Amino acid sequence: MSAFDYLLNGFATALQWQNIIFAFVGVLIGTVVGVLPGIGPISGVALLIPVTASLTSGLPPEAAATSAIILLAGVYYGAMYGGSTTSILLNTPGESSSVVTVLDGYPMAKQGRAGVALSIAAIGSFFAGLVSLIGLVFLAEPLSEVALKLSPADEFSLMILGLCALSGLAGKSVTKALMMTVFGLLIATIGLDNVSGVARFTFDMPELYSGLEFLTIAVGVFALGEVFKTILERDVNEGEIAKISRIIPTKEDLKESAGPILRGSLVGFFKGIVPGSGATLASFLAYLLEKKISKTPEKFGKGAIAGVAAPESANNAASGGAMIPLLTLGIPGTGTTAVLMGALIMYNVQPGPLLFEDHPTIAWGLIASMFIGNVMLLILNMPLVKVFAKLIETPPKYLIPMIVAISVFGVYAVRVSVFDLVLLLLCGLVGYFLAKNDFPMAPLVLGLVLGPMIENNLRRALTTSNGDFSIFIEKPVSLVFLIIAVLWITVPLIMKMRGKKVIVNEE
Amino acid sequence: MSKTFDRFASLIFLVLGVAFVVGSQNISASAYGSHVGPNIFPMGLGSLLILLSLRLFYETFTYKQEGKKEKEKLDYKRFLIILVGALLYVLLLEEIGYVISTFLFLFVGFQTMQKGKWLNSVIISGAFSFGVYLLYVEVLDGTLPGLPTWLGL
């Protein structure tokens, strides 16, 4: 079967009525998550994992996994649409990948062109979503075929590369990022070892036999961490919300933004495929690129429509692009995709080369649903943008305690244990203080997700080599991965030492 | 960057690293059919964590003198009330049931965030706790601790 046939089958899955609803709910909640201050895409997805788990509990396993992941991915790319709304109307980005949109979005709003800015952002996001999906369709098959040929040693090195890629660019200090990665890998070893069945670091506590639950930790560090930050730092918007008048862009607006949208989509897509770079960096680069090639760079920062179109397209394309290494190689390149991967594993679905072979319904159903979801988002965001803008006014008074309650409900519904709830609060506390002091959380979660797989591959590789570690540098593919991994960490360090500025990614 | 926090954190992670290395000594070394037992991975990672913590500790000496910037005022009072509230909430969840504990937590939370509008707080906390319970337990057949039996309802 060709990619096209698979895609058609995918549409057959995505167009089942329950999956249409799941996609719709996902993108709707995603938009809300993007608009509401205080929850970003990563905490939004983490919060919804347990909710989807209970929603899909009546379905057969494969269908449940498909529907759940359709909803969760919808939250992810939906949030990219919603994030622009607060940037433009309130001068405050709803999530970090819309930081650059503020630069020109808010000035546009002050000139009375808020509606146009919002609709250009929606159109750009839509186009970018399509671009990255087409890329996904064409790259998925060949990439996973290559990935299938990898030996355990190669796979181990590839995962190390993934970890290094995320750590090398995350946050302000590489040392701290690496510490978080290693710590994530370490806590993944708690529990029964699945090769030998030996208990590790369980201290005879039955709660620890199955290990620390990924879900509890992700919801804790991301959702509760954000909540604590909002309370402690009184992180509340008090700006004036700009009025929305005309929504439909003029022909001139469209003409002016066509180029930036196209370039932004391409930049975002390729940036998204590279693990560790993420949507924030993509939107930043797209903005810089437009400013550089623009004939009127002085207009940027004062309400240039290109300054909205390019970064908003780029962050959406990047979130689509980031799905490629996740689905084909099993390497999540961003914090949010790491959380998505954790969700798939919860459903006993292993993302990676075998995904397209073992679970074509899930893989292609998801891809097709992203087409549908993007259409829904365009329809939702163009006429309803005024309604979403109202959400900004939600008083944090009600929002904050409710997020705590939803986290508690979610974790309890899946785990049914008070131990996990206490752990949840603890993770929230630790997460807040660590993140506040530039210890990035995404590498920790990534380490936690990848830990068992890395260990399995390590042990499988060492078993074939009779315990000889040189197998990792003797296999050419593995060696190449390791060299890139080392470069990924050292090159930015060397550049920093030479006094060059290194752009980092903060999610 | 806070020098004090980073030093403190590097020491804690150092201790954790040592604990994992020591702990992995007690795990049996080899598994059947494998040359690499369940102890290697945590032991290696623990050692790595030790090295990285030492590196961070060393780095804290190179931090530039922090300018005496105004210390941001953190809202500890509200934070502590909500944190303690949340802790009581999770500890009492199974004792007094989901609906009552959630209602109480939300009500306290709303009032801590901003005093006043009692009626709104009661209505929203009530709607949330009952709504989630009904939806999850009645419609979706999930399990949540119900009302405590000593209420006799």
Side-chain angles (χ1 to χ4, degrees), chain A residues 425-481:
Chain A
L425 290 182
L426 193 71
C427 286
L429 265 184
V430 173
Y432 165 71
F433 283 108
L434 285 179
K436 184 179 159 61
N437 289 286
D438 307 320
F439 286 85
M441 285 298 123
L444 177 114
V445 173
L446 188 59
L448 187 64
V449 172
L450 288 185
M453 275 170 272
I454 293 186
E455 188 177 9
N456 271 348
N457 281 310
L458 173 80
R459 283 157 79 171
R460 274 168 59 204
L462 286 177
T463 306
T464 53
S465 75
N466 282 330
D468 185 0
F469 276 89
S470 59
I471 185 172
F472 297 110
I473 43 175
E474 273 163 6
K475 295 231 171 200
V477 181
S478 162
L479 179 67
V480 171
F481 286 147

Side-chain angles (χ1 to χ4, degrees), chain A residues 182 185-186 189 201 455 458 469, chain B residues 17 20-22 24-25 37-52:
Chain A
V182 172
L185 291 170
L186 265 178
T189 62
F201 314 112
E455 188 177 9
L458 173 80
F469 276 89
Chain B
F20 270 103
V21 172
V22 173
S24 56
Q25 309 288 333
N39 59 336
I40 295 269
F41 196 59
M43 203 195 302
L45 287 171
S47 320
L48 217 68
L49 190 61
I50 294 174
L51 292 178
L52 286 166

Side-chain angles (χ1 to χ4, degrees), chain A residues 8-205:
Chain A
L8 280 185
N9 285 343
F11 270 105
T13 311
L15 285 171
Q16 284 163 6
W17 66 269
Q18 83 267 23
N19 287 337
I20 293 181
I21 295 176
F22 274 99
F24 180 76
V25 173
V27 297
L28 186 68
I29 295 179
T31 313
V32 174
V33 160
V35 173
L36 287 177
I39 10 176
I42 193 164
S43 41
V45 173
L47 266 178
L48 280 169
I49 294 175
V51 179
T52 44
S54 32
L55 281 177
T56 54
S57 57
L59 298 170
E62 175 120 345
T66 314
S67 302
I69 201 74
I70 283 177
L71 193 151
L72 294 172
V75 177
Y76 180 29
Y77 56 82
M80 299 289 158
Y81 275 73
S84 59
T85 311
T86 44
S87 292
I88 292 166
L89 294 181
L90 203 61
N91 207 18
T92 344
E95 30 91 25
S96 61
S97 61
S98 295
V99 171
V100 226
T101 314
V102 169
L103 298 178
D104 282 283
Y106 190 63
M108 275 186 82
K110 278 207 283 194
Q111 294 158 15
R113 295 169 74 207
V116 176
L118 286 169
S119 57
I120 282 295
I123 294 170
S125 300
F126 174 72
F127 183 78
L130 291 191
V131 167
S132 62
L133 274 167
I134 293 168
L136 186 56
V137 170
F138 283 105
L139 282 177
E141 279 271 304
L143 259 180
S144 56
E145 260 163 44
V146 172
L148 270 176
K149 299 200 176 94
L150 299 178
S151 69
D154 302 334
E155 267 187 56
F156 169 81
S157 306
L158 178 65
M159 286 176 194
I160 295 293
L161 169 62
L163 286 177
C164 288
L166 192 60
S167 318
L169 290 167
K172 289 177 188 142
S173 152
V174 179
T175 317
K176 291 180 184 177
L178 286 175
M179 281 171 79
M180 289 290 97
T181 312
V182 172
F183 188 58
L185 291 170
L186 265 178
I187 39 183
T189 62
I190 296 175
L192 292 183
D193 169 38
N194 50 15
V195 180
S196 61
V198 175
R200 295 191 287 188
F201 314 112
T202 53
F203 310 105
D204 289 328
M205 285 163 73

